[in-house]
Amino acid sequence: MKHNLILLLLVFFCTGSFAQEKPLRNLTTLENNWKFINQEVAGAENPQTNTSNWETVSVPHDWAIKGPFDKEIDKQMVKVTQDMETEAKERTGRTGALPHIGIGWYRNTFTLPEFEAGKKALLIFDGAMSDAQVYVNGTKVGNHPYGYSYFYFDISDYLQAGENLLAVRLENPPSSSRWYPGAGIYRKVQILVKDEVNFQQWGTFITTPFVSDQVAQINIKSEVNGDDIKVVTEIKDAEGKIVASKTSSDQFGNLMELNIAVPNPNIWSIENPYLYTAHSKLYKNNELKDELLTRFGIRSVVYERGKGLVLNGEVTKFKGVCLHHDLGPLGAAVNKAALKRQLTILKDMGCNAIRSSHNMPSHEQLELCDEMGFLFLAESFDEWAKAKVENGYNRFFNEWAEKDVVNLVRATRNHPCIVMWSSGNEVPDQWGNEGVKLAKWLQDIFHREDPTRPVTVGMDQVANTLKNGFGAIMDIPGLNYRLPLYGEAYERFPQGFILGSETASTVSSRGIYKFPVEELKQKTYDDFQSSSYDMEACYWSNVPDEDFVWQDDFEWVIGEFVWTGFDYLGEPTPYNEAWPSRSSYFGICDLAGLPKDRFYLYRSRWNTENETLHILPHWSWEGREGETTPVFVYTNYNSAELFVNGVSQGVQTKTKELSKQHRYRLMWMDVKYEPGTLKVVAFDDAGKPVAEKEIHTAGKPHHLELSADRESISADGKDLSYITVSVVDKDGNLCPNADNQLNFSVSGAGTYKVVCNGDATSLEMFHLPTMKAFSGKLVVTVQASEKPGEINLAVKGKGLKTGNIAIHSK
């Protein structure tokens, strides 16, 4: 009898009201088997249209990244007012010289067998570039023009039994961007099916109004559809254990609110990015109708006069970088492994903050920043009502700006990494009274949707915003460059602090060094490269050391966001009028993700946990024997001694007395080049030798060395391994001038994806399995299949011993 009772109880729990026979929500990601064509097709939205000659692609997808590069694409005669230009000039690589202009159609056939009466179906886009026109079963369900915005449609009334057809028309006009925008459905598309009684899409907002070591208050506001309902919410820790719960039937219109106490909270921080999950359940007449999982962090964010960000009670300066949305050779198509690689590199540099420039970030990027402990400045627009480019967002601003801000905030406000919003970047509306009103209007929308975070805007016309009130009304005055105006801005703006919302814009090419070494503005060379001595900037910008001084000497300068963390496609300043030149020089890392010398300058200052000792330039200068070849050392130590072939070049010590550069760099300006060994010995503050490093003159290229960022990846069809290929001599020394043509082949449980060498002037296409090395290196990306096993990459070059590496996919 006892055993029968146990059996009956098991049957009850498995089939009765305590178990859900099928999920309350069904979320389908439309990833594979899309049909695509890069041209206008009349009637492409109709089911009967023949697509046999269309390409089959997966989404996320960027139709333009495969090229070819062409100087005639989006060639513009334009005066770049952001660069303080006074006359229009021809631009050939401004948007990357990639074929992103034009029309693209996407179609996907899907089936929702669980859809029935009493259900709602939402079609959700994370981003589509651009001017999306969306059809289901031949009928238009809506449009959304802004390519960076998240949006969704209720398609419940457009669905039919069995197969359904989704069709999307996108169009990128010429002169619509200031950088490479990408093209296509470059972020994910999903269909969410749920009950008519439900938590509204993006309608739940979790905040932590009170945080202490003993207890945290979790406030959860949820907008719901339905009457006479009850919400039960459980707070679960990172291991899935329930640490608090609460039930409420109090309903105020469509809003329900819970306050839940979490004892002894694990507080989210840069060092400890701990995440909780709120599991919310919605009942009507005691029947479970909907449930929602929301990940969040418990943290306190306050901004104080003279201090800036106080995170969990500690003053925290922004050591941030700006990032464009493209992923180098992958283009705009989102890939979480690629994003994680970027953030991993930046974390090692000591970076603690990201600014999405100048657009709304991907959900994948925000999820990673939550998990990895980055602060985030989420930006909305590069244009308001006044144009920067003829066909930019200015065309849509008056009708769509509020909708896009609402979508940005509601879709992302539960991410603990976000500590600030930005309503715009260098908008021409900074001039005139109407712009001040627009700034206030946008800021009020952000405050209405999220009263817990401040709003900034990147101002480049600082002298004007000091006069017209534009900067005074912002929660946080963000200054793009304009260091000479920092002091006046602090005195005249009421907020009590200044943010370097965009800083430096130093330009350099990895591994390229120019002589003589001197600080220069807007310097160009015949090879269209910039010197990696980190002494060159644009005439409106500066080298890093100048920003360091302001941040070190004035507490009210609350940090910086450097332009940029990585090179990006398009905007090849200072070679805007040069061809071939199709990507930026601003990056701390190049387009392939390889650190430039500047990486170690920032690391020596930002990464306080690990040793930095980096020498530049390389020491292979055939033909420069006896010539002055300055040597810089970037290190977290204050002094060091340099040796050339064992002969001391003297001790250098960081000092405020000589120049801004001498304060942050060790520089031997009179070194004469001779082949051999360059060695640096660093000293601690007591004068004791504590670290040393050598670099050697390289011999002839001999073989290839391969090194992967990850030698084990997931067999999910998406994961990536980035393999750095170095041309080295017989002793393993990098050959820094090598430009050998290399060829790649991949076998086993993966495929060749792309290659990049970081050369802004290269016109070789990323998706072809061949490319020249640049400054002795390039990076090959391989992608896992869905079958576990070993992925083998072989790299060959004429006269070089072949390099091989195995990546494990599981």
Side-chain angles (χ1 to χ4, degrees):
M1 181 67 182
K2 181 178 179 181
H3 293 293
N4 289 339
L5 179 59
I6 292 174
L7 181 61
L8 286 171
L9 287 172
L10 285 171
V11 170
F12 179 75
F13 276 103
C14 291
T15 63
S17 61
F18 286 88
Q20 196 66 39
E21 293 182 1
K22 57 182 179 179
L24 292 165
R25 290 183 161 217
N26 187 289
L27 186 63
T28 302
T29 300
L30 302 180
E31 183 177 10
N32 298 318
N33 300 315
W34 286 81
K35 289 292 187 178
F36 167 73
I37 194 166
N38 191 188
Q39 65 185 57
E40 181 68 285
V41 176
E45 72 275 16
N46 297 322
Q48 63 269 26
T49 298
N50 186 346
T51 60
S52 59
N53 65 329
W54 292 28
E55 184 182 359
T56 300
V57 300
S58 295
V59 165
H61 177 246
D62 181 346
W63 83 54
I65 191 58
K66 289 186 177 180
F69 296 102
D70 185 342
K71 69 176 294 185
E72 298 301 318
I73 292 173
D74 204 22
K75 185 165 65 176
Q76 301 178 20
M77 284 296 296
V78 63
K79 178 176 68 176
V80 182
T81 56
Q82 291 74 41
D83 292 357
M84 302 192 301
E85 294 182 350
T86 57
E87 61 181 39
K89 302 175 183 178
E90 182 179 278
R91 300 286 188 273
T92 54
R94 195 180 193 203
T95 51
L98 287 164
H100 69 280
I101 294 167
I103 295 167
W105 275 97
Y106 291 83
R107 287 169 46 121
N108 189 278
T109 301
F110 63 93
T111 303
L112 299 175
E114 75 284 355
F115 190 75
E116 56 195 26
K119 295 286 187 179
K120 282 286 183 185
L122 303 183
L123 174 62
I124 307 164
F125 289 81
D126 281 7
M129 191 63 68
S130 58
D131 196 15
Q133 311 287 324
V134 181
Y135 303 82
V136 172
N137 295 321
T139 301
K140 187 173 181 178
V141 300
N143 72 292
H144 205 102
Y146 190 31
Y148 294 107
S149 185
Y150 334 105
F151 59 95
Y152 67 92
F153 304 110
D154 184 340
I155 60 170
S156 307
D157 296 336
Y158 301 89
L159 296 176
Q160 61 191 25
E163 285 192 346
N164 291 269
L165 174 67
L166 168 63
V168 183
R169 182 188 186 274
L170 301 174
E171 182 173 6
N172 284 345
S175 300
S176 59
S177 182
R178 299 193 298 119
W179 54 84
Y180 176 67
I185 305 178
Y186 69 104
R187 294 176 180 167
K188 66 179 179 291
V189 180
Q190 296 178 303
I191 298 177
L192 173 64
V193 176
K194 56 183 178 179
D195 197 274
E196 286 183 320
V197 177
N198 60 57
F199 293 103
Q200 291 185 15
Q201 180 71 4
W202 304 333
T204 292
F205 186 21
I206 300 179
T207 59
T208 55
F210 179 82
V211 177
S212 73
D213 291 336
Q214 291 74 40
V215 67
Q217 176 191 356
I218 314 302
N219 178 267
I220 306 177
K221 294 181 177 71
S222 294
E223 295 178 358
V224 296
N225 292 315
D227 298 316
D228 302 319
I229 53 182
K230 175 178 69 176
V231 172
V232 178
T233 297
E234 299 168 341
I235 305 297
K236 298 180 180 180
D237 65 15
E239 290 72 45
K241 179 183 176 182
I242 297 173
V243 296
S245 64
K246 197 162 188 178
T247 301
S248 178
S249 300
D250 296 333
Q251 189 172 354
F252 306 92
N254 69 349
L255 182 67
M256 303 189 77
E257 184 172 1
L258 295 173
N259 281 290
I260 306 174
V262 172
N264 306 312
N266 208 326
I267 297 174
W268 186 94
S269 67
I270 295 167
E271 299 78 20
N272 178 47
Y274 192 91
L275 296 169
Y276 288 86
T277 300
H279 186 179
S280 300
K281 302 175 184 178
L282 188 64
Y283 293 85
K284 183 177 177 67
N285 300 325
N286 291 322
E287 181 182 356
L288 183 59
K289 290 292 189 178
D290 195 15
E291 59 183 343
L292 181 66
L293 297 175
T294 308
R295 200 167 66 159
F296 69 99
I298 296 174
R299 87 283 191 273
S300 169
V301 173
V302 177
Y303 289 83
E304 296 184 9
R305 292 181 59 83
K307 297 180 180 179
L309 173 62
V310 181
L311 179 66
N312 304 321
E314 295 185 5
V315 175
T316 304
K317 284 208 174 189
F318 291 101
K319 299 182 288 187
V321 301
C322 302
L323 290 180
H324 264 308
H325 72 304
D326 79 66
L327 293 168
L330 295 177
V334 165
N335 181 282
K336 199 163 185 177
L339 288 165
K340 188 169 185 177
R341 176 192 180 232
Q342 282 192 339
L343 293 173
T344 300
I345 292 168
L346 293 172
K347 197 78 170 180
D348 177 62
M349 187 175 68
C351 173
N352 69 5
I354 305 297
R355 175 191 179 209
S356 62
S357 309
H358 303 288
N359 46 263
M360 301 172 181
S362 69
H363 290 298
E364 290 84 353
Q365 186 180 43
L366 293 173
E367 289 165 3
L368 287 167
C369 287
D370 286 344
E371 296 165 3
M372 297 175 70
F374 283 90
L375 307 174
F376 206 95
L377 196 173
E379 195 151 86
S380 50
F381 307 121
D382 188 53
E383 282 186 2
W384 293 352
K386 292 185 177 180
K388 292 183 183 179
V389 290
E390 179 182 356
N391 292 315
Y393 188 73
N394 65 87
R395 296 176 295 151
F396 311 115
F397 179 83
N398 290 331
E399 179 182 355
W400 286 93
E402 180 171 5
K403 301 171 190 175
D404 285 328
V405 169
V406 169
N407 284 4
L408 166 64
V409 177
R410 291 191 164 218
T412 66
R413 60 189 173 181
N414 293 316
H415 288 282
C417 65
I418 297 178
V419 294
M420 193 190 313
W421 305 108
S422 170
S423 60
N425 169 70
E426 297 183 357
V427 293
D429 313 72
Q430 291 169 85
W431 296 94
N433 295 330
E434 189 59 33
V436 179
K437 295 173 185 176
L438 288 179
K440 181 65 165 60
W441 174 68
L442 286 170
Q443 183 166 265
D444 286 347
I445 297 170
F446 277 102
H447 287 169
R448 182 191 72 205
E449 299 300 323
D450 176 14
T452 72
R453 295 178 176 95
V455 182
T456 190
V457 65
M459 299 181 293
D460 62 329
Q461 303 299 322
V462 178
N464 186 67
T465 63
L466 283 166
K467 299 174 184 177
N468 69 359
F470 187 102
I473 66 169
M474 302 307 302
D475 296 330
I476 295 179
L479 274 60
N480 288 8
Y481 317 105
R482 311 299 182 263
L483 291 176
L485 293 176
Y486 267 34
E488 184 180 357
Y490 173 66
E491 291 296 326
R492 295 181 59 180
F493 287 154
Q495 297 89 343
F497 46 71
I498 296 293
L499 171 68
S501 46
E502 191 170 311
T503 64
S505 277
T506 306
V507 291
S508 63
S509 303
R510 177 184 54 80
I512 302 296
Y513 305 93
K514 302 295 186 179
F515 305 97
V517 177
E518 51 189 335
E519 191 169 353
L520 298 167
K521 294 292 183 73
Q522 213 70 19
K523 178 65 175 176
T524 57
Y525 302 91
D526 291 343
D527 61 359
F528 302 158
Q529 304 292 350
S530 295
S531 177
S532 201
Y533 272 106
D534 303 322
M535 298 286 278
E536 297 177 6
C538 307
Y539 52 78
W540 40 266
S541 64
N542 52 270
V543 295
D545 321 71
E546 297 182 49
D547 290 298
F548 296 166
V549 169
W550 280 98
Q551 291 155 42
D552 285 347
D553 292 353
F554 301 96
E555 291 184 352
W556 44 266
V557 179
I558 67 174
E560 67 173 321
F561 288 88
V562 180
W563 192 263
T564 53
F566 289 79
D567 279 336
Y568 54 94
L569 291 161
E571 214 169 30
T573 311
Y575 295 104
N576 290 319
E577 301 144 57
W579 182 260
S581 188
R582 47 71 173 149
S583 60
S584 78
Y585 299 76
F586 297 119
I588 294 171
C589 300
D590 70 15
L591 198 70
L594 295 172
K596 302 179 186 178
D597 292 291
R598 205 167 353 127
F599 175 93
Y600 301 97
L601 178 59
Y602 283 99
R603 191 180 193 273
S604 69
R605 171 180 157 79
W606 284 356
N607 185 338
T608 58
E609 301 297 321
N610 302 107
E611 176 182 282
T612 298
L613 188 59
H614 176 76
I615 309 172
L616 66 129
H618 62 74
W619 210 238
S620 299
W621 294 103
E622 185 176 357
R624 282 192 62 83
E625 289 80 3
E627 293 190 39
T628 300
T629 307
V631 175
F632 291 4
V633 170
Y634 297 155
T635 179
N636 54 319
Y637 299 109
N638 285 322
S639 63
E641 186 172 8
L642 183 72
F643 299 86
V644 176
N645 294 327
V647 178
S648 176
Q649 307 298 300
V651 174
Q652 291 287 337
T653 301
K654 294 177 185 176
T655 177
K656 297 181 181 180
E657 305 304 321
L658 297 177
S659 70
K660 295 180 178 69
Q661 282 75 39
H662 282 89
R663 185 171 173 178
Y664 300 101
R665 319 181 193 200
L666 300 178
M667 302 188 295
W668 290 261
M669 299 301 295
D670 299 322
V671 177
K672 304 296 184 184
Y673 173 68
E674 60 181 63
T677 298
L678 194 63
K679 177 181 176 180
V680 64
V681 177
F683 305 108
D684 64 16
D685 291 340
K688 178 183 177 182
V690 288
E692 63 179 56
K693 187 169 186 178
E694 293 182 358
I695 57 175
H696 306 276
T697 303
K700 294 181 179 179
H702 178 266
H703 63 278
L704 298 166
E705 287 188 353
L706 278 57
S707 175
D709 71 325
R710 293 187 302 144
E711 294 186 354
S712 180
I713 60 177
S714 299
D716 59 3
K718 306 172 191 175
D719 207 0
L720 305 173
S721 179
Y722 286 82
I723 298 146
T724 300
V725 180
S726 301
V727 181
V728 299
D729 67 10
K730 62 182 179 59
D731 297 318
N733 298 304
L734 177 71
C735 299
N737 302 307
D739 61 355
N740 304 65
Q741 189 76 41
L742 304 179
N743 301 296
F744 325 110
S745 59
V746 176
S747 60
T751 56
Y752 166 82
K753 184 69 175 176
V754 290
V755 62
C756 186
N757 61 13
D759 179 3
T761 71
S762 172
L763 300 183
E764 294 183 276
M765 291 180 282
F766 303 127
H767 69 289
L768 298 180
T770 182
M771 186 170 281
K772 285 186 176 182
F774 177 65
S775 295
K777 292 185 178 184
L778 52 71
V779 177
V780 177
T781 306
V782 299
Q783 185 170 38
S785 68
E786 294 183 353
K787 181 180 178 181
E790 193 169 85
I791 307 169
N792 296 289
L793 169 67
V795 183
K796 297 181 179 180
K798 186 177 181 181
L800 299 171
K801 185 179 178 182
T802 299
N804 294 275
I805 195 170
I807 306 298
H808 303 283
S809 176
K810 53 188 178 182

